[in-house]
Amino acid sequence: MVASSAGPARGLLYPRPDARHFAHARVLPAEDLRPWVEHFWAVRWDLREQPPFLQQNLPHPSVHWTFQDGTSRIGGVHSGRFSLLLEGLGGVFGIKFRPGGFFPFVKTPVSTLTERTVAPAPLLGPEALTLEAAILATDVTRDADAERIHLAEAFLRARLPSADPNVALVQGLVTRILEDRAVTKVEDLLTPGGPGLRTVQRLFSRYVGVSPKWVIQRYRLHEAAERLKEVPPPELTTLALALGYFDQAHFIRDFRRVVGCPPAEYARRAPGPVPPARRSP
């Protein structure tokens, strides 16, 4: 499978193993599923006779349905840094739902999934196990992703939710946060005649699983991580102000808490290879 127009991945913290040992593809769904599904993704690695690699990223405000190691799991938003130790030979296939896009399939507040992974059948019915078996039965040693995507799309298409205006509303707000640097606090999302602060917070909890404040901070840290990979990296005070922080110290504290190291250290490590690391707790 080759990467489609899903766009560049955001939130990856360090360089991955080279293409001889690692492959990552992201494919857009069919047009009729795009209100709910952001993309399908697949990761494969062959690190036999290579050191293990700790893949680290800052997760998006999205629900993922992943298929790996003979089972599948639905994962809510992971608020911290996510780490996965890659070793030996393996692969993962996943469905990434758009922020707000998973709720209409289950009618359960997405906040109940935050920081959790759960079995899919209780949420999506026993047919989810049939899909799991079909996807995991495909040959991981060849490029079977088109078949997996076809299976997943058929499953979702048979369960297309009824129209819900709140989905478009929430997704519009998330897009504003992502694309408009001027949005640095929740109040910046409010417009005359639009939903008030408490309504926006309730909608995010129900449809996204995290607060709008969390989404703002996460996308700004995504941007910070990308900017700090530049050579030379930007000056920290300038970067902090551009991201909406009142001072450099606050930015450094947030970055260290989520990424695990100060921005200056990350800037030194991010452009080049990172030595193998232990699994994070």
Side-chain angles (χ1 to χ4, degrees), residues 10 58 177-178 180-185 188 213 215-228 230 234-248 250-252 254-255 259 263:
R10 288 172 56 100
L58 298 183
I177 295 171
L178 176 63
D180 187 354
R181 287 186 177 181
V183 176
T184 59
K185 57 185 185 297
D188 294 331
K213 179 180 178 180
V215 177
I216 292 170
Q217 183 194 60
R218 178 51 48 92
Y219 280 150
R220 296 302 165 259
L221 289 179
H222 278 181
E223 184 175 354
E226 292 303 310
R227 293 287 310 279
L228 289 168
E230 297 171 1
E235 200 274 329
L236 290 184
T237 299
T238 302
L239 180 59
L241 292 175
L243 297 176
Y245 286 90
F246 291 109
D247 56 63
Q248 178 179 326
H250 188 191
F251 165 59
I252 291 174
D254 274 359
F255 194 93
V259 177

Side-chain angles (χ1 to χ4, degrees), residues 63-68 70-76 97 102 106 108 112-113 115-132 155:
V63 172
H64 288 258
W65 188 357
T66 58
F67 301 78
Q68 181 187 19
T71 189
S72 72
R73 302 288 288 178
I74 290 175
F97 292 85
F102 185 71
V106 297
T108 298
T112 63
L113 297 174
E115 312 288 8
R116 299 175 60 212
T117 62
V118 300
L123 289 173
L124 294 166
E127 296 87 355
L129 296 177
T130 303
L131 175 65
E132 174 187 293
F155 177 91

Side-chain angles (χ1 to χ4, degrees), residues 21-219:
H21 306 293
F22 184 91
H24 177 209
R26 300 157 74 242
V27 174
L28 291 172
E31 194 73 36
D32 61 325
L33 291 173
R34 292 184 187 181
W36 302 279
V37 177
E38 187 161 328
H39 60 252
F40 300 98
W41 56 270
V43 173
R44 293 187 182 85
W45 61 90
D46 186 352
L47 296 176
R48 293 172 294 185
E49 301 182 0
Q50 298 290 321
F53 177 76
L54 187 67
Q55 173 69 69
Q56 301 183 67
N57 70 291
L58 298 183
H60 292 242
S62 300
V63 172
H64 288 258
W65 188 357
T66 58
F67 301 78
Q68 181 187 19
D69 295 337
T71 189
S72 72
R73 302 288 288 178
I74 290 175
V77 179
H78 188 85
S79 65
R81 184 173 73 257
F82 179 79
S83 300
L84 177 65
L85 186 67
L86 309 182
E87 54 188 342
L89 177 68
V92 186
F93 175 76
I95 305 169
K96 180 182 180 182
F97 292 85
R98 293 185 64 188
F102 185 71
F103 171 83
F105 288 95
V106 297
K107 304 299 184 184
T108 298
V110 180
S111 57
T112 63
L113 297 174
T114 301
E115 312 288 8
R116 299 175 60 212
T117 62
V118 300
L123 289 173
L124 294 166
E127 296 87 355
L129 296 177
T130 303
L131 175 65
E132 174 187 293
I135 285 179
L136 293 171
T138 56
D139 186 356
V140 73
T141 63
R142 64 182 176 88
D143 192 356
D145 296 318
E147 181 181 354
R148 294 170 181 167
I149 290 171
H150 174 75
L151 291 166
E153 288 187 332
F155 177 91
L156 295 171
R157 192 171 285 120
R159 293 159 180 78
L160 285 183
S162 56
D164 182 345
N166 286 331
V167 172
L169 173 61
V170 167
Q171 290 176 347
L173 294 174
V174 172
T175 299
R176 279 190 59 199
I177 295 171
L178 176 63
E179 297 179 351
D180 187 354
R181 287 186 177 181
V183 176
T184 59
K185 57 185 185 297
V186 181
E187 287 76 10
D188 294 331
L189 296 172
L190 307 183
T191 57
L197 177 61
R198 291 187 181 277
T199 298
V200 168
Q201 291 170 332
R202 286 195 298 268
L203 287 172
F204 269 68
S205 176
R206 186 171 181 81
Y207 285 80
V208 183
V210 287
S211 70
K213 179 180 178 180
W214 183 94
V215 177
I216 292 170
Q217 183 194 60
R218 178 51 48 92
Y219 280 150

